[in-house]
Amino acid sequence: MIAGGRVRVSGQSILVALALLGLTVAALLWPRRPAEHGDGTLLAYLPAADGDRQEALEALAAYLGREAGLSLQLEIAGDRLSFGAGLAGALVVLAPDGPALALPAAGWQPLAAGRRPAPWNLRPTAVLVSRQSAAADPAPWLTAPARTVFGDSLSLVCLAPLCSADARGSLPPGVTWGRDPYDHRDVLVAAAYGVFDHAVVRQWDADAALAAGRLEPGAWRVRRLSDPVPDLMVLGSRRLPAAARLDLQQALTVLGRDASDQSAATRLVRLQLGQLGLDGFNLVLGPDFERLRRHYSHCWPRLVD
C-alpha cells in the first residue's frame, strides 16, 4: 500500500517473508532426510473429480512423499461423509478452506494455501456478480433466492458473506449451489444464459469470465463482499514428527517458486497442478489460520453441509 509517498508493508507480509526465509535457510543447512516417517494418504476433498485432476493430485502426493520421506497414497473424498471417514488414515489433507477450518487444531497443522497463476496469485475475495437490471439488491440470496447461485458450498470465499454475526451461519433456503470449489466459472455461464441474475463467486473467476467475454460487458455489476480468504488449503497431521511437517511445508512453498533450479519431475508437478487451477502454494502461518478460525468459528460446521 502507498500512502503519503511511502510504501507500507503489512505485518502479516513481513512475517510470511521471514518464515519463507527461514524455510530456505533450513533447506540449505539441513537437507531433507531419506528416512521414511510413515505410511498414509493424501486425502483430497474433490467433489467434482475427473481423470486429469486425479492425475495431478497423484503427482502431488508422489512429490510430497518423496520430499518429506513419506509413503503417500492418494484418496479422493467427494462428500463430507467420505472426507470424515478418510481422516483417520490421512497424513496430509488438501481441501477447500471451509472443511479445513472445521478440522481440530490439535490434530492438524495448516501448511500452505493454493496459489493461482498471476495476476490472481493472492488470496481471493468474494464478489457478487449481478445483472444490471437487478443490481440494486445487496443480498439477493435473501430477497431473490431462486435467482441466486453460489459458486460452491465448501469455499469460505462463498460462505464468508453469510457468516455475519446476525446470520450465525445459517444457509439461505432456495438458492443454488455449484459443485466445483476449484472453479466457479460454470455458474457464471449459467447466469449469462439467463438461469440466474446473481452469483456469489471467487473474484478471480468473475474476472476471468468478464475478460473472456462470457459475461456481456456493461450488462453486469460486480461488488466485493468479503475480505481475502485462503481458498484451497493443505494441512499436515500432527501424528507426523515436526520435522516431517516442516519438510512438507518447505516442499509446498518452494514448488513453482524458481523453476530453473528444479528437476524436470518437479516442474511437471507444477504444470499438472494447472488442472486444479493452481500454480503452486503460499505459506500459511498458524496464528493467521487461528485468527480466521476464531473469526468464522460461529459458522462451523453448520455451513459445511
Side-chain angles (χ1 to χ4, degrees):
M1 181 184 298
I2 299 176
R6 293 178 298 176
V7 177
R8 297 174 55 192
V9 181
S10 70
Q12 179 66 27
S13 298
I14 294 173
L15 288 175
V16 170
L18 290 174
L20 283 172
L21 178 61
L23 287 173
T24 302
V25 172
L28 295 173
L29 296 180
W30 296 286
R32 295 185 182 94
R33 294 160 297 283
E36 292 290 322
H37 289 303
D39 298 338
T41 63
L42 187 159
L43 178 65
Y45 203 138
L46 192 66
D50 60 49
D52 290 337
R53 285 178 168 181
Q54 181 165 338
E55 185 178 350
L57 289 169
E58 287 172 348
L60 179 63
Y63 165 77
L64 292 177
R66 183 171 64 250
E67 296 296 295
L70 301 171
S71 178
L72 290 177
Q73 300 297 317
L74 176 65
E75 181 177 350
I76 299 290
D79 52 51
R80 281 188 65 194
L81 185 62
S82 56
F83 181 70
L87 289 172
L91 297 179
V92 182
V93 162
L94 183 145
D97 46 12
L101 281 170
L103 294 180
W108 296 93
Q109 176 187 339
L111 302 176
R115 184 178 70 249
R116 307 288 178 140
W120 304 300
N121 53 338
L122 301 177
R123 289 183 175 183
T125 61
V127 296
L128 174 63
V129 180
S130 295
R131 201 177 300 276
Q132 285 285 8
S133 58
D137 194 339
W141 50 88
L142 299 178
T143 56
R147 302 296 298 168
T148 303
V149 61
F150 285 75
D152 71 89
S153 62
L154 298 170
S155 298
L156 190 55
V157 76
C158 285
L159 301 176
L162 306 175
C163 201
S164 60
D166 54 343
R168 307 301 290 179
S170 58
L171 292 174
V175 301
T176 300
W177 299 90
R179 294 194 64 251
D180 191 348
Y182 299 88
D183 191 343
H184 295 160
R185 286 174 292 180
D186 284 351
V187 301
L188 290 170
V189 170
Y193 277 104
V195 181
F196 304 104
D197 293 325
H198 311 274
V200 178
V201 296
R202 184 183 294 108
Q203 109 262 357
W204 301 327
D205 295 323
D207 291 346
L210 287 165
R214 295 187 179 94
L215 297 175
E216 184 181 351
W220 299 86
R221 182 183 300 179
V222 180
R223 183 167 64 88
R224 176 172 164 166
L225 295 178
S226 78
D227 292 331
V229 289
D231 202 31
L232 181 70
M233 293 290 306
V234 181
L235 301 95
S237 171
R238 295 193 188 275
R239 299 193 308 272
L240 288 171
R245 282 179 269 133
L246 178 63
D247 286 345
L248 285 168
Q249 193 166 46
Q250 179 181 308
L252 287 163
T253 53
V254 302
L255 186 61
R257 290 287 179 184
D258 186 358
S260 64
D261 292 337
Q262 295 176 343
S263 67
T266 300
R267 289 196 295 272
L268 180 59
V269 172
R270 180 189 180 185
L271 288 174
Q272 289 176 301
L273 285 176
Q275 299 293 341
L276 299 167
L278 299 179
D279 192 43
F281 296 88
N282 290 326
L283 179 68
V284 171
L285 301 178
D288 175 39
F289 193 71
E290 290 309 310
R291 177 186 61 80
L292 287 165
R293 195 194 301 273
R294 289 192 301 270
H295 185 76
Y296 295 107
S297 61
H298 65 279
C299 295
W300 309 106
R302 291 180 59 196
L303 283 179
V304 190
D305 289 330

